[in-house]
Amino acid sequence: MRKALPDPQIEARRRQPVPETVDPAIEALVHDIIGKVADKWTMLILEALHEHGTLRFTQLGKVVGRISQKMLTQTVRQMEKDGLVRRTVHPVIPPHVDYTLTPLGESLGAAFCGVWIWAETHHAEIEQARASFAEREAATSSITAGD
Amino acid sequence: MRKALPDPQIEARRRQPVPETVDPAIEALVHDIIGKVADKWTMLILEALHEHGTLRFTQLGKVVGRISQKMLTQTVRQMEKDGLVRRTVHPVIPPHVDYTLTPLGESLGAAFCGVWIWAETHHAEIEQARASFAEREAATSSITAGD
DNA sequence: TCCTACACTCTCCTTTTGGTGCGTATAAAT
DNA sequence: ATTTATACGCACCAAAAGGAGAGTGTAGGA
């Protein structure tokens, strides 16, 4: 079994520079935003508020699921800073605070809708892919080209 | 300045249970998937491959930006497990491996498209929201209702 | 009178994430 | 003969994420 056959197609691609299509400045900016928004808790809270409208602290925690108070507070505060949620404090004595999405937050929620739908649609395929990967792993790892 | 005024509207909402609209089993499943997919590096790699089609290891790293080899390998392997990318090893001697999205990965990339567009559209608003939050923080924190 | 509810904050601790640098095999270029 | 290029794996370390539990202040219910 030969290993180092020349293969002109591979050689051709060998020293190709990275193809660039978009302005790197905008890329960097968008990457930064994605880095901040693409967080598990942010997405989960976003969806909770998108679904239920207005929720208070404890309710929000229950809807999100397994989130600690610490993370809930932290994430929600960051989202407030970013202008995604509005936090309203009612000055009563067992405290009452509620959270709702701003128009900006709503628009992000709408944008993520596609991802939620994707997840609902394709979760079976992911599980199947994992199973078949585990199977292949037992035999040979990954795919060897042209063989 | 009174603090504990009764406010019947607040009282009415006080003991309301969490409103439930969807099947908790599906929710849990989708939350799990989101938890895995809503990762900065996953999203960035997804977009890189969605934009450029097929890339080899080093190229992919450059397109993504500030990612270490370790993270790149790790994330790309997880994505392979989840059936999002196909990894092709060419058995030549300076090694040559390239990565491309599977149809499943492509569909997720398409779903995330909305989020990229959102980020491109609204990044100015986020920055503005942060600025005005910082300003308000200097005076009073958050919003006090009915005042 | 004691307990509970609410929306936190604070501290301590463990787990995860992520970075850096080193090694590797070998063909081709210098 | 030495260097370079590729796509990593491995070991070690720093930093960040995240959880657990205690405390807080007080109105209203038991």
Side-chain angles (χ1 to χ4, degrees), chain A residues 78-122:
Chain A
Q78 184 59 49
M79 292 173 80
E80 194 194 359
K81 277 186 197 171
D82 292 341
L84 300 175
V85 303
R86 180 168 41 250
R87 178 169 174 267
T88 311
V89 179
H90 301 276
V92 292
I93 271 304
H96 187 122
V97 179
D98 47 42
Y99 297 93
T100 197
L101 292 182
T102 62
L104 186 62
E106 281 294 342
S107 69
L108 180 57
F112 266 121
C113 238
V115 182
W116 292 102
I117 292 170
W118 180 91
E120 284 170 8
T121 311
H122 297 285

Side-chain angles (χ1 to χ4, degrees), chain A residues 2-7 10-11 13-22 26-27 29-40 43-44 47 51-52 54-56 58-60 62-65 77-78 80-84 86-96 98 104-105 107-109 111-112 114-116 118-120 122-127 129-131 133 136-137 141-146, chain B residues 2-7 10-11 13-22 26-27 29-40 43-44 47 51-52 54-56 58-60 62-65 77-78 80-84 86-96 98 104-105 107-109 111-112 114-116 118-120 122-127 129-131 133 136-137 141-146:
Chain A
R2 294 178 300 165
K3 281 178 188 171
L5 70 169
D7 195 346
I10 300 300
E11 287 306 310
R13 254 194 270 166
R14 185 154 288 280
R15 311 245 176 202
Q16 251 183 11
V18 179
E20 302 207 30
T21 48
V22 281
I26 292 185
E27 278 246 336
L29 202 58
V30 173
H31 280 206
D32 176 68
I33 300 225
I34 293 296
K36 293 202 160 78
V37 154
D39 162 60
K40 185 188 171 187
M43 283 187 63
L44 258 18
E47 192 234 1
E51 280 288 309
H52 297 90
T54 296
L55 291 173
R56 48 196 303 202
T58 312
Q59 286 181 324
L60 182 53
K62 281 179 188 166
V63 172
V64 169
R77 289 293 158 83
Q78 184 59 49
E80 194 194 359
K81 277 186 197 171
D82 292 341
L84 300 175
R86 180 168 41 250
R87 178 169 174 267
T88 311
V89 179
H90 301 276
V92 292
I93 271 304
H96 187 122
D98 47 42
L104 186 62
S107 69
L108 180 57
F112 266 121
V115 182
W116 292 102
W118 180 91
E120 284 170 8
H122 297 285
H123 60 80
E125 291 177 58
I126 285 195
E127 284 173 34
R130 280 187 201 157
F133 180 90
R136 263 183 300 148
E137 206 176 30
S141 100
S142 295
I143 298 169
T144 303
Chain B
R2 292 180 304 168
K3 280 179 188 171
L5 69 171
D7 196 347
I10 301 301
E11 286 307 307
R13 254 193 270 165
R14 183 152 290 280
R15 312 249 174 197
Q16 251 181 11
V18 179
E20 304 207 30
T21 48
V22 281
I26 292 184
E27 278 247 334
L29 203 56
V30 174
H31 280 205
D32 177 67
I33 301 223
I34 293 295
K36 293 203 161 76
V37 155
D39 162 60
K40 183 189 172 186
M43 283 186 63
L44 258 18
E47 193 234 2
E51 282 288 310
H52 297 90
T54 296
L55 290 173
R56 50 194 303 201
T58 312
Q59 284 182 325
L60 182 54
K62 280 179 188 167
V63 171
V64 168
R77 288 293 159 82
Q78 184 59 48
E80 193 193 1
K81 277 186 197 168
D82 292 340
L84 300 176
R86 180 166 43 249
R87 176 168 176 268
T88 312
V89 179
H90 302 276
V92 292
I93 269 306
H96 187 121
D98 48 40
L104 186 61
S107 69
L108 180 56
F112 266 121
V115 182
W116 292 102
W118 179 91
E120 283 171 9
H122 297 285
H123 60 78
E125 290 178 59
I126 286 196
E127 285 174 32
R130 280 188 200 156
F133 181 88
R136 265 182 299 148
E137 207 176 29
S141 100
S142 296
I143 299 169
T144 304

